[in-house]
Amino acid sequence: MTARPAHRTLRDQLRGWNPGQVATLLVRRPDLAHPQPPADVAELAQRAQQRPSIDLAISATTLPENRLLQVLVCCRPEVPLDELARALPEGVGLDDVEDVLAGLEAAAVAWRHGGRVHSSGALRQAMPTTLGPPLHLLAGEQNVEYLRSAIKAVRAALDAQRFRGALPDRASGPEGRPARKAELVEELSSLLAAPGVVGAVLEAAPPDAATLASAQAEGSPLVELDHYLYFSTYGPARYQRELPVYWLFERALLLPYRDDLAAQPREVGVALRGGRPVADLALDQPPLPTTTSSPDRVDADGATAAVRTLDRLSDLLERWGETPAKTLKSGGLGATVMKQTAAALETDLEEATRLVELAHLAGLVETTTVSARQQRRVIYESFVEPTPAATAWLGRPVAERWRQLATAWLRAEHWPSAPGRKGTGSGSSSSNSSNKVVPVLSLQYAASAPELRRRVLDTLAGLAPGEVTTADALASRVYWVAPQPWLGTGLPVDRPAGAIAWVYAEAELLGVLAHGSLTSFGRALLAGQARRAEQALEAARPEPVTTFTLQGDLTATVVGALERSVALELRLLADVESTGAATTLRFSDASLRRALDAGRDAEGILAFLETHAARGVPQALAYLIADVARRHGHLQVGSAASFVTSEDPAVLADACSHRRTRKLALRLLAPTVAVSPKPSTTVMDGLRDAGFLPTGEGGPGGSVSVAAADAPSGEGRRHPGGERERGSGAELPEPFRPRRGHRASPPTLDPRRAASLAEAILAGPSPEATTSPAPGSPGKARNTTARPSTGPPAAPLPFPGSPFFDEGDGDEAPADLRELFEWARDRARVLAVSLGDEDHRAPPIIIAVTGGGPDGIVGIDLEQGAVTSVLVEQVGVAMDLGPIDELANVTPLAAARPRPGRHRR
Amino acid sequence: MSEGPLIVQSDKTLLLETDHPLAGECRQAIAPFAELERSPEHIHTFRVTPLGLWNARAAGVDAEAVVDALIRYSRFPPPQALLIDIAETMDRHGRLVLDTDERHGLVLRALDRAVLEEVVRSKHVAPLVGPRLDDDTLAVPASERGRLKQALLKVGWPAEDRAGYVDGASYPVALDDGDGFRLRPYQVEAIETFLAAGTGVVVLPCGAGKTLVGAGALARASARTLILVTNTVSARQWRAELLARTSLTDGEVGEYSGERKEIRPVTIATYQILISRTKGSYRHFGVFDAEDWGLVIYDEVHLLPAPVFRMTADIQSRRRLGLTATLVREDGREGDVFSLIGPKRYDSPWREMEAQGWIAPARCTEVRVSLTEGERMAYALAEPEERHRVGATAASKLAVIEALVERHRGEPTLVIGMYVEHLAEVAERLGAPLLTGKTPVRERERLYAAFRDGEEALLVVSKVANFSIDLPDASVAVQVSGTFGSRQEEAQRLGRILRPKADGRQAHFYAVVSRDTNEAEFAARRQRFLAEQGYSYDITDAADVLGGGCR
């Protein structure tokens, strides 16, 4: 790069700051003091200009700050103030942006000195704009011949137009030698940046090329190329000649970018926008108009929704506990399974998707792979089924279940509403243009999801209880407060409206939000007050109904939410006809038969109905129950592999009770008929051994024998011990993949601490006394990237700025394993867990805990890269290694990817 | 949260708690747009359908009123999506208007141009409309008025018919209010609402005096009138009623049936004759054009045969009155009734009329007969198509039927059945006259007259009794076998005994059913239907009937 004589470094600038300014900077960019405060101003300045920190700073800017930064990076470095003023949008002067500029200065991303505005090179690289990359980045890829030719073409065009404006000098190399590439790039950049040049060159452009150039300036600066675009000293290839892109390329108004894309250089875009890179600075914060709704009603409806969701999840777990859901070969649940699930849960497909995803986020369901031998081949089948932790979850009180679910949701690096729809793409992959439906539970990670969710909910939390705003207004506000996180997140929209709709739908499902307003328990949960949230939900929860109305048309009508145990029994007896605020169910022969099959009897059913029917049991229903029960069981079906008959009941009775036939398990059905679960040949042999003289029935070889009916698929959930595998095959969810160098949610810094730090930094390096570690932060100063050494269960060491630091609950060290498990789950920690007892201890598993509870944890085995669960009983020793956020970076990502074919035994 | 009596479900059913103090008021508010589906003892179910909403819209109720009624009486907030759907559905009615233009005759006028563009592109509508008159207006051949309305309903944009009606040839008729006879208030109301609209359907339960509504409308219209009825017996009864209650004389009322072909100022024609075909063509459709009819009355609209719909499509400029006990059609052609006869203009729930004393409360009892071993075996071994007959005609029923008849000796009793041989056996055992389809009309009328006069207290009747006969004094009905439980048939049978009894006696309806046969399944459907209609329904064992003797 060329020298920047006018440049004033940030270090020099910061030297002139007072402690208050430094403290403000630290509060605004807390990552600068993390994990250890910088020793002096030089280090502070250096940190402030590092790319990860700059990225964080950019993502924390407001919309006007963001736009002003865009203007700044489109101007030349060290731009004089009057030049900046000219680049501002029409009608906006320097005075209007004074506050915005001051804000950027306070954050040390830009600083004023000597009538110029300075910014760091890192910012110029990092700051995204709506324009293309600067010319020097694009032109650097081209050869010297191209550069010469382009300069020549531009200058020729200007001569042809009789251009009168000022132009930069022709480049020359040192000591009169021909210009080198760097000088040529410099010349071309200044040439195109000179006022009026781009316009003059485009004057002579063919209409297609001119239209393309202005479209690129207005919309996306990138165009897709059908043909490879290249420069040759022999002139353009035949196919290129007529192309508008080639015309532009010849004059450096468009250059190949990467892959098959070409970009308009930033200088050209700025020129086409009349020298004003941004049309509107959005200086005024958009208003948040509100209406009011009764907080009591919000709470009541929110609690109803929450309880309903919990009930549905219980239904889901029950259903999948009986018959696990089969996954697609490519992973995830297919449309057929989801349709069945939606029907069983009496909801629509979208909501069923959210419920299933939520269950997974909370560690209630997991994918298991079962291998089975089919002749010589081993085949693998994957199922989604409840985790061991789900059993424990089901046993907890309503409020606690809700809290766990909602907490898991708040933290999920995933959009539960995203699957099941087309072309949503994933947050992590850039090639997300596919129009394929994303299967449910195929885990598309969206690392920014928790932060974005939080932004929406925090803005809602800023409203008074019962105050409601519109989703549109909220979207504008949230975007204004911090636009950067919403851009380039891989969401279907670049604006927050789509994501906000998802947050709304998910929050309403969980009862965090009702009627567009946060419920009191949702609010408490957001504030980290878990206990208060549970209490608030408990208070708002509708008193469960235990009665229903039975009518002569054989229906039952339930108004409100029936207590779960009663509801389950009623649903066994009758079929649901219509749902909503009330539920109607119909009794029929079939439904009652189902109950009888499940072991109920007529008296029991009647007694149950009489207990709960508010207006008694109509005679017609009582008759129906008696009728069905009377006919039920007239025929009984059992299974046997063979039968034995005898005309002499005495002989048969003897054969059945004989000591030596015991292993045949003969059972008398009638005086002359007995059955055995053993095949007829075994029974024949056994009877002969015991001294009887049996003969086979029917013709030769025709003795009646029934083949064993149990096929392996009939085993249901019982996976044979040795065959159960985790973490194999392509059906696995993607591994936990934290983003490098970018935290989902930056740490925060307490202003008082910032003030003291600021003093220390300005004072410069000094003995250790001034750099006392933050309370609770790892004792060893810089060594945060090393994996903590093993030892006895370490005390949990969350650093106070941790996003998961749950201040509302106090933070005592967990006393035992169960507490450690809950503690780790609530704070998203990484645990090292050793299975087995003192004598047989297995090598530790490193688990990033994502769910579970005191009885077991669910998380991602960072070595295997697979979802795993561990029960408290299995664990010998467990130890906290630190927050997921910190440690997942440490774990070699290569090891965290699934390796097909590798199984843990 | 309000404590209203109504619960709005997302599947568009409305549950109304009848014990609630606001229940009556709420029912009044939702009746115009919601169809009563079931009315068992505690919670009534209404359903909101597009037709119902359009019926309401045609009656001048707007979406705001509907949504307001739902919100006002609902206990829980109604699902937002449902309210939006209701508003949108109602908004579809009347965007297109059928009107008469001075210069061009019948025209289809759009209040919303986009809708017009949409419908003219539909392949159902396009062949029925004429040339474009301007951006918003299309000419319509007068002959396509009915079919166009049908087609527009099918594509979901029902048109409002403001094209008016011809008066027809005037013919003064007066109601004869001698000997204390007066129309009941609801009958008057039904007539007024109908006449204000010009076309439409009046829904009244059997026994509520639909014939008188017809007579009243005829008198008010005072025009030559064509009355379409289900069969000859019904035609005679209409005739008798008209002669008794209006100024019409014998020579002014003609019958157009299989036996007679008279066209008089007031002509009563049967559906049967209208749809009878000779060499594939309907020869008797000419009746519709035989006179300049000012009013056409359709009795039992829910039974209207499909060809008559086709014919009706051609007479859309005449006033049409549909009379029925239920808008539910077994063939699902409610939409044709809506577009061709007209929207529902008046409806009164059975139970309310019963409470007002216009219909005698009936007790429904199902008597279950246990079959003997031999009968069970015969049933089990019967061919599938024979099973129902074998079960329904079991000899074990005879004793029970006898006991039931004995229990109500002296009261006018009908024994109704399906299998003629079995009925013959029953009639012989009871010593009662038997009426079947083969009984000559003259004999049938004689027996009915005798029954009405009290000379005969017991009749055994086959399916003929299913249709619009008028037996004012039957207070006991014993159903010994039934066809396959169609809803309209049940409504008819009950209608037999629902007529007001002069002495306020309790009416009884018995169904004798063989236990453990498929008859029991049909009985279960009947039970559901009756319970839904709000009748008390008891089940007893044959042993109780036989052992209990006379109460």
Side-chain angles (χ1 to χ4, degrees):
Chain A
M1 289 256 63
T2 48
R4 294 161 68 180
H7 188 62
R8 177 171 165 96
T9 62
L10 178 60
R11 186 186 54 201
D12 294 343
Q13 184 75 7
L14 288 183
R15 288 235 164 87
W17 279 23
N18 60 36
Q21 283 172 303
V22 176
T24 311
L25 170 63
L26 292 180
V27 169
R28 226 185 128 151
R29 293 173 66 177
D31 60 293
L32 295 179
H34 177 78
Q36 285 297 301
D40 54 18
V41 169
E43 195 183 340
L44 179 66
Q46 188 208 351
R47 283 191 191 184
Q49 296 182 85
Q50 272 169 359
R51 181 68 189 260
S53 179
I54 287 279
D55 281 338
L56 278 179
I58 291 174
S59 76
T61 52
T62 63
L63 188 57
E65 283 172 348
N66 191 289
R67 297 236 168 114
L68 187 60
L69 277 181
Q70 290 189 38
V71 175
L72 270 180
V73 299
C74 286
C75 295
R76 56 191 172 120
E78 293 93 51
V79 60
L81 279 167
D82 54 341
E83 202 174 311
L84 177 64
R86 285 198 297 275
L88 291 177
E90 201 95 49
V92 178
L94 277 179
D95 293 346
D96 300 320
V97 297
E98 174 56 34
D99 288 349
V100 183
L101 199 52
L104 293 176
E105 274 187 305
V109 288
W111 53 99
R112 275 177 283 190
H113 183 78
R116 289 166 181 267
V117 182
H118 303 256
S119 56
S120 69
L123 176 85
R124 298 184 76 82
Q125 278 182 12
M127 184 64 208
T129 67
T130 54
L131 293 163
L135 182 83
H136 68 86
L137 289 183
L138 296 169
E141 301 291 315
Q142 299 294 325
N143 56 27
V144 176
E145 281 75 26
Y146 169 78
L147 294 171
R148 289 208 182 101
S149 158
I151 292 171
K152 204 171 138 192
V154 172
R155 289 198 186 265
L158 294 176
D159 289 345
Q161 295 289 328
R162 298 170 197 283
F163 184 72
R164 294 269 171 266
L167 288 178
D169 297 336
R170 287 176 189 272
S172 63
E175 299 156 19
R177 275 181 288 168
R180 293 168 307 179
K181 187 169 173 181
E183 285 103 14
L184 289 172
V185 170
E186 181 70 29
E187 185 192 345
L188 191 56
S189 298
S190 349
L191 195 56
L192 290 179
V197 170
V198 171
V201 175
L202 278 173
E203 281 287 306
D208 284 357
T211 316
L212 176 63
S214 61
Q216 279 181 295
E218 297 303 319
S220 165
L222 300 179
V223 286
E224 223 165 292
L225 292 174
D226 296 330
H227 304 288
Y228 180 54
L229 194 61
Y230 69 99
F231 175 78
S232 161
T233 42
Y234 302 109
R238 185 187 299 264
Y239 73 85
Q240 293 194 336
R241 261 175 233 158
E242 303 296 315
L243 292 177
V245 279
Y246 192 81
W247 194 93
L248 295 171
F249 173 56
E250 273 185 312
R251 289 152 186 84
L253 301 179
L254 174 142
L255 284 141
Y257 184 40
R258 56 171 188 224
D259 301 333
D260 49 356
L261 294 175
Q264 183 177 59
R266 184 174 294 172
E267 289 81 350
V268 177
V270 172
L272 287 174
R273 290 187 185 182
R276 306 179 190 276
V278 168
D280 179 16
L281 278 178
L283 290 171
D284 298 319
Q285 171 159 300
L288 208 54
T290 56
T291 52
T292 46
S293 175
S294 142
D296 286 346
R297 185 162 167 186
V298 167
D299 271 12
D301 290 352
T304 309
V307 171
R308 197 171 158 77
T309 297
L310 293 179
D311 282 350
R312 284 202 167 135
L313 281 181
S314 307
D315 290 348
L316 181 77
L317 293 174
E318 194 181 320
R319 186 178 159 84
W320 285 359
E322 281 165 17
T323 340
K326 198 159 180 281
T327 64
L328 298 172
K329 281 218 173 63
S330 52
L333 295 173
T336 318
V337 172
M338 284 314 296
K339 270 182 200 153
Q340 288 165 356
T341 307
L345 298 181
E346 291 148 19
T347 176
D348 57 27
L349 210 51
E350 272 192 31
E351 198 159 301
T353 301
R354 285 186 197 116
L355 286 166
V356 170
E357 291 283 351
L358 277 177
H360 187 258
L361 293 175
L364 301 177
V365 295
E366 63 180 347
T367 307
T368 323
T369 302
V370 178
S371 64
R373 238 165 238 293
Q374 246 186 21
Q375 283 140 18
R376 297 211 167 159
R377 290 188 312 141
V378 178
I379 55 160
Y380 296 93
E381 284 195 323
S382 296
F383 296 94
V384 178
E385 63 179 12
T387 55
T391 320
W393 182 79
L394 282 172
R396 302 222 176 85
V398 167
E400 204 179 323
R401 273 189 284 154
W402 170 80
R403 200 245 311 148
Q404 289 184 358
L405 196 64
T407 314
W409 170 70
L410 277 180
R411 260 178 217 161
E413 292 193 334
H414 176 60
W415 295 104
S417 304
R421 59 186 80 219
K422 279 186 185 174
T424 47
S426 69
S428 51
S429 118
S430 59
S431 58
N432 54 6
S433 52
S434 78
N435 235 15
K436 275 182 73 178
V437 173
V438 181
V440 178
L441 288 195
S442 57
L443 272 186
Q444 306 277 315
Y445 272 102
S448 58
E451 188 193 343
L452 300 184
R453 195 176 286 130
R454 197 78 208 196
R455 282 176 187 279
V456 175
L457 294 173
D458 283 348
T459 311
L460 282 169
L463 301 173
E467 262 187 346
V468 182
T469 185
T470 63
D472 283 348
L474 191 79
S476 312
R477 169 62 74 86
V478 169
Y479 187 71
W480 191 89
V481 169
Q484 202 58 46
W486 300 97
L487 299 168
T489 50
L491 287 169
V493 284
D494 274 346
R495 291 293 170 119
I500 284 184
W502 286 352
V503 175
Y504 265 56
E506 291 160 18
E508 276 173 1
L509 188 69
L510 285 164
V512 170
L513 195 69
H515 303 291
S517 178
L518 283 181
T519 55
S520 61
F521 32 97
R523 207 174 272 273
L525 191 79
L526 285 178
Q529 300 158 330
R531 294 279 167 275
R532 260 194 53 200
E534 286 184 21
Q535 286 160 2
L537 173 65
E538 206 50 63
R541 191 152 75 93
E543 202 57 35
V545 183
T546 57
T547 57
F548 42 80
T549 305
L550 293 175
Q551 301 192 92
D553 61 345
L554 307 180
T555 57
T557 307
V558 183
V559 179
L562 199 56
E563 197 187 75
R564 196 167 160 72
S565 60
V566 183
L568 284 179
E569 185 70 17
L570 186 62
R571 269 161 36 187
L572 179 69
L573 297 174
D575 298 311
V576 175
E577 273 203 333
S578 137
T579 56
T583 312
T584 56
L585 302 100
R586 177 170 295 282
F587 293 87
S588 67
D589 279 14
S591 73
L592 288 168
R593 205 175 304 132
R594 180 179 63 211
L596 293 167
D597 287 343
R600 307 293 186 276
D601 57 19
E603 294 76 42
I605 294 173
L606 266 182
F608 166 79
L609 293 179
E610 268 156 15
T611 314
H612 297 287
R615 288 150 160 153
V617 181
Q619 193 222 18
L621 181 57
Y623 257 79
L624 181 70
I625 294 167
D627 265 10
V628 175
R630 191 165 46 77
R631 293 202 305 271
H632 187 258
H634 273 191
L635 298 177
Q636 287 187 355
V637 177
S639 62
S642 59
F643 63 85
V644 183
T645 60
S646 168
E647 300 202 341
D648 186 345
V651 172
L652 193 59
D654 185 19
C656 288
S657 56
H658 200 283
R659 188 175 48 86
R660 293 178 71 176
T661 64
R662 210 167 286 162
K663 59 179 184 292
L664 301 177
L666 285 168
R667 192 157 56 93
L668 267 182
L669 292 183
T672 58
V673 186
V675 291
S676 161
K678 308 283 183 200
S680 58
T681 47
T682 315
V683 175
M684 295 260 271
D685 293 346
L687 287 172
R688 284 198 186 106
D689 284 354
F692 295 93
L693 297 172
T695 55
E697 196 180 66
S703 65
V704 181
S705 66
V706 184
D710 280 5
S713 62
E715 292 285 311
R717 285 202 63 200
R718 281 180 289 125
H719 306 294
E723 290 178 8
R724 182 175 174 131
E725 284 157 25
R726 292 177 197 280
S728 67
E731 73 291 330
L732 276 176
E734 282 205 16
F736 178 77
R737 197 158 31 172
R739 286 177 303 164
R740 282 180 184 279
H742 188 290
R743 239 187 290 278
S745 168
T748 56
L749 197 64
D750 161 47
R752 266 183 306 168
R753 183 163 159 71
S756 71
L757 282 177
E759 300 266 3
I761 292 167
L762 287 173
S766 62
E768 279 186 16
T770 48
T771 58
S772 62
S777 75
K780 292 206 169 176
R782 294 287 161 80
N783 200 10
T784 48
T785 50
R787 181 186 286 226
S789 58
T790 50
L797 296 169
F799 60 92
S802 159
F804 305 127
F805 189 70
D806 201 344
E807 280 150 301
D809 276 355
D811 192 51
E812 288 157 31
D816 61 13
L817 267 180
R818 288 171 183 275
E819 270 189 50
L820 176 69
F821 278 3
E822 279 209 286
W823 180 89
R825 179 205 59 209
D826 290 347
R827 287 164 186 77
R829 305 290 284 193
V830 177
L831 294 186
V833 178
S834 278
L835 306 187
D837 54 22
E838 298 264 290
D839 300 323
H840 308 283
R841 183 150 297 161
I845 314 170
I846 313 295
I847 302 178
V849 184
T850 55
D855 302 324
I857 44 168
V858 178
I860 289 144
D861 182 336
L862 291 179
E863 263 152 11
Q864 295 284 327
V867 175
T868 190
S869 62
V870 174
L871 285 175
V872 73
E873 295 88 11
Q874 303 174 298
V875 176
V877 169
M879 170 175 50
D880 173 49
L881 296 182
I884 289 179
D885 225 22
E886 298 256 80
L887 285 162
N889 279 334
V890 175
T891 314
L893 277 179
R897 294 225 171 81
R899 292 178 201 162
R902 221 191 108 191
H903 316 306
R904 197 168 76 227
R905 294 186 198 286
Chain B
M1 191 181 302
S2 83
E3 281 297 319
L6 195 67
I7 297 168
V8 184
Q9 299 281 77
S10 40
D11 62 356
K12 296 188 185 164
T13 52
L14 314 176
L15 305 180
L16 174 68
E17 204 159 333
T18 50
D19 301 344
H20 196 280
L22 291 176
E25 196 183 317
C26 172
R27 179 202 303 261
Q28 217 67 42
I30 63 173
F33 60 87
E35 303 289 343
L36 179 62
E37 208 175 57
R38 315 204 281 255
S39 52
E41 52 275 49
H42 308 297
I43 296 167
H44 291 186
T45 306
F46 292 77
R47 185 172 290 279
V48 180
T49 61
L51 263 185
L53 291 171
W54 291 332
N55 268 326
R57 185 65 198 258
V61 181
D62 61 1
E64 207 174 314
V66 171
V67 169
D68 179 63
L70 291 182
I71 291 175
R72 180 143 34 102
Y73 293 104
S74 185
R75 182 167 313 167
F76 306 102
Q80 201 60 32
L82 179 109
L83 298 183
I84 292 168
D85 189 50
I86 286 178
E88 280 177 0
T89 305
M90 290 188 80
D91 201 32
R92 295 176 80 97
H93 181 269
R95 298 269 196 107
L96 300 173
V97 177
L98 270 173
D99 216 339
T100 316
D101 188 270
E102 278 177 17
R103 280 192 303 146
H104 304 285
L106 190 62
V107 294
L108 181 67
R109 191 162 286 147
L111 305 181
D112 182 341
R113 200 171 295 168
V115 175
L116 191 69
E117 294 300 336
E118 184 193 325
V119 300
V120 294
R121 277 164 183 74
S122 150
K123 66 173 195 283
H124 298 292
V125 177
L128 304 176
V129 291
R132 198 85 179 227
L133 299 175
D134 58 50
D135 281 349
D136 297 327
T137 321
L138 279 174
V140 177
S143 57
E144 303 294 358
R145 180 166 164 186
R147 273 177 285 277
L148 180 62
K149 282 195 285 183
Q150 266 177 304
L152 289 174
L153 183 77
K154 199 173 276 171
V155 297
W157 293 103
E160 196 178 332
D161 190 345
R162 292 191 206 148
Y165 307 98
V166 294
D167 288 332
S170 129
Y171 195 84
V173 180
L175 270 187
D176 191 0
D177 42 8
D179 57 319
F181 164 73
R182 297 194 63 178
L183 287 178
R184 296 173 192 157
Y186 65 84
Q187 289 167 334
V188 175
E189 200 185 333
I191 295 165
E192 293 297 333
T193 345
F194 160 71
L195 283 171
T199 57
V201 178
V202 169
V203 181
L204 285 176
C206 297
K210 284 195 293 290
T211 317
L212 288 175
V213 173
L218 195 162
R220 285 287 308 276
S222 281
R224 291 181 182 251
T225 299
L226 175 65
I227 302 171
L228 304 177
V229 300
T230 48
N231 57 22
T232 318
V233 177
S234 179
R236 305 271 157 86
Q237 278 154 8
W238 264 89
R239 184 191 164 90
E241 195 82 354
L242 288 180
L243 294 181
R245 299 298 181 205
T246 64
S247 58
L248 288 168
T249 59
D250 199 36
E252 292 168 303
V253 182
E255 177 184 318
Y256 196 93
S257 67
E259 295 166 38
R260 288 177 225 169
K261 308 276 184 299
E262 305 159 343
I263 302 284
R264 306 260 172 86
V266 173
T267 301
I268 305 172
T270 63
Y271 292 150
Q272 285 154 335
I273 191 70
L274 286 175
I275 62 170
S276 70
R277 282 194 282 187
T278 317
K279 291 180 187 161
S281 64
Y282 298 103
R283 283 199 12 230
H284 301 282
F285 270 16
V287 171
F288 284 100
D289 300 322
E291 278 272 3
D292 185 11
W293 306 120
L295 175 66
V296 182
I297 297 177
Y298 299 80
D299 193 19
E300 313 286 15
V301 168
H302 60 286
L303 296 175
L304 197 65
V308 178
F309 275 126
R310 237 170 289 151
M311 200 63 226
T312 302
D314 295 334
I315 55 157
Q316 289 296 310
S317 60
R318 305 196 187 275
R319 291 200 165 78
R320 300 174 302 278
L321 167 63
L323 298 172
T324 185
T326 164
L327 270 178
V328 177
R329 283 183 65 97
E330 296 294 315
D331 59 5
R333 295 185 68 158
E334 289 92 345
D336 286 344
V337 175
F338 176 86
S339 46
L340 294 180
I341 312 285
K344 177 176 78 176
R345 301 292 179 195
Y346 189 81
D347 190 354
S348 180
W350 295 25
R351 292 284 282 180
E352 259 176 39
M353 313 208 48
E354 192 181 290
Q356 287 170 23
W358 302 121
I359 311 176
R363 269 188 90 91
C364 306
T365 311
E366 179 181 321
V367 184
R368 296 208 177 156
V369 181
S370 294
L371 301 186
T372 63
E373 285 295 317
E375 284 166 338
R376 286 185 60 185
M377 218 47 181
Y379 175 77
L381 297 177
E383 294 294 319
E385 61 272 21
E386 284 290 291
R387 279 198 155 189
H388 183 68
R389 190 187 59 77
V390 173
T393 60
S396 300
K397 282 187 175 179
L398 286 176
V400 178
I401 299 166
E402 207 173 14
L404 289 172
V405 169
E406 188 58 37
R407 183 186 275 188
H408 296 284
R409 177 162 292 281
E411 293 177 49
T413 304
L414 285 176
V415 176
I416 310 167
M418 174 180 175
Y419 298 102
V420 176
E421 283 169 35
H422 184 236
L423 287 176
E425 218 177 313
V426 172
E428 197 186 322
R429 177 134 179 188
L430 297 174
L434 172 67
L435 272 161
T436 70
K438 287 183 185 149
T439 314
V441 174
R442 202 159 301 223
E443 172 68 1
R444 212 189 297 171
E445 284 187 347
R446 186 191 67 77
L447 283 173
Y448 284 164
F451 190 72
R452 227 172 277 139
D453 299 342
E455 291 167 23
E456 285 286 357
L458 178 63
L459 286 184
V460 179
V461 291
S462 74
K463 273 183 96 172
V464 286
N466 262 344
F467 297 103
S468 181
I469 57 167
D470 203 24
L471 302 168
D473 286 315
S475 67
V476 179
V478 181
Q479 187 185 27
V480 297
S481 57
T483 38
F484 304 97
S486 95
R487 288 176 290 180
Q488 54 104 338
E489 190 187 314
E490 296 297 346
Q492 289 284 347
R493 279 194 189 175
L494 219 48
R496 291 290 76 69
I497 55 167
L498 279 176
R499 318 257 152 147
K501 305 294 171 287
D503 51 3
R505 258 177 311 178
Q506 168 87 62
H508 289 274
F509 177 79
Y510 293 98
V512 184
V513 174
S514 300
R515 180 170 279 147
D516 293 339
T517 68
N518 61 1
E519 219 188 4
E521 285 165 38
F522 301 130
R525 276 155 68 176
R526 168 188 318 125
Q527 171 194 341
R528 175 172 167 183
F529 170 77
L530 291 177
E532 284 171 0
Q533 291 297 325
Y535 290 96
S536 68
Y537 194 93
D538 295 320
I539 304 173
T540 59
D541 197 273
D544 298 339
V545 176
L546 295 172
C550 199
R551 278 185 309 178

